[in-house]
Amino acid sequence: MRKAEHLRFAILAAQREGNRLLIQALKPHGITPSQAEVLRLLQQHGTLSLNGLGQLLVCESGTNPSRLVERVVAAGLVERRTDAEDRRYLQLSLTPEGERLATAVAGIEEFLYASMDAACEGLDTDAMLAFLHSFIDPLPSGEALNKRLGLDQGAHGTVGDRPSG
């Protein structure tokens, strides 16, 4: 098997297993990983416009996550308000129940990250991140990730310059 093919399938397998673990952990809370990402982004950023949220999402392509937002609004986790200055824009924020659930999601994520930290011990994670960023940075998911990391479009600093999280 060609190394690039092996790498592609290893990344896919890791993504699927990580998602499987996350789905299992979120199941008792009745939310999906995409919904959890919305909750955590709103917890981290406070109020966001629909477009602003869309620009930060890695779980969905595009910048208009209307259906995803509809589901968390219907569940009573997110409040949607018309912008006071420009009624064409929606402002999204967590409800008290959404805040409680976002905090539970943060604990689930921390457990997942601790497992990943243990698996990475002794490995050159900077080299892994540099490879992944060289592949994804020009693509929509890479652009969304870089916005979340606080990197400008096309910023190619060293991985050590990237905020850790």
Side-chain angles (χ1 to χ4, degrees), residues 7 10 30 53 64 91 102 106 117 120 122 134 136 139 141 143-144 152 157:
L7 191 55
L53 176 68
N64 191 349
Q91 295 295 319
D117 286 341
C120 289
S134 71
I136 66 169
L139 304 172
S141 294
E143 290 174 9
D152 290 332

Side-chain angles (χ1 to χ4, degrees), residues 48-67:
L48 286 170
S49 68
L50 184 63
N51 187 46
L53 176 68
Q55 290 179 11
L56 297 172
L57 286 172
V58 176
C59 69
E60 292 216 352
S61 61
T63 57
N64 191 349
S66 297
R67 285 188 294 235

